[in-house]
Amino acid sequence: MPVVAEARSEVVALLGSGSSVVLDDGLGTRTERDGWKLSVERTGGCWRLVSFEADEATLLQRLARRSAEDSRAAMPVGPDALQYLTSVYEPPVEEGQEPPWPVG
C-alpha cells in the first residue's frame, strides 16, 4: 500500500536522523509487526511493542466518541470495517510486547 510505504519511509528517515518515533497503528498481523521491527532495527533504532487490547464493543464506542468529538481527527471506520479488522487481528504472542502500564 502506498500509504504504508510512505509512512515507513518517513519513520526510517526520522529514526536515521536520531529522532524518537511513536507509531500508533493497529498492526493487525505478526507479519506487519515484524516488518516494522526490521525497519527500525536496520536504522539502528530500538523498537518497543506496546499492545492495548480491547473488545469490539469497546472499539466501536471509542470510534463513535472520536467521530463525535471531531470528524477530522480520525479516519472514519464503520462497523463493517471494524468487524473485518478484528477478524484478521493476530494478538501479539511472545513478540517482546509490553503492557501499556507498569505491572506490579
Side-chain angles (χ1 to χ4, degrees):
M1 290 173 65
V3 172
V4 174
E6 185 178 327
R8 188 179 309 270
S9 292
E10 188 171 341
V11 166
V12 166
L14 287 166
L15 290 171
S17 73
S19 296
S20 295
V21 177
V22 174
L23 176 67
D24 180 2
D25 190 301
L27 298 175
T29 67
R30 184 176 192 139
T31 300
E32 290 173 299
R33 292 186 293 272
D34 287 347
W36 278 101
K37 290 176 190 177
L38 185 60
S39 293
V40 170
E41 290 169 352
R42 284 182 175 159
T43 65
C46 181
W47 57 265
R48 292 178 64 191
L49 174 60
V50 181
S51 181
F52 295 82
E53 302 296 326
D55 61 36
E56 193 171 336
T58 301
L59 294 173
L60 280 169
Q61 290 173 348
R62 290 177 182 170
L63 287 171
R65 185 174 59 239
R66 190 177 303 152
S67 293
E69 290 171 359
D70 184 354
S71 62
R72 299 168 295 152
M75 182 174 73
V77 176
D80 291 341
L82 182 62
Q83 186 176 31
Y84 169 75
L85 292 170
T86 57
S87 74
V88 297
Y89 176 68
E90 300 170 4
V93 176
E94 297 181 14
E95 294 182 49
Q97 70 272 17
E98 303 173 20
W101 53 83
V103 176

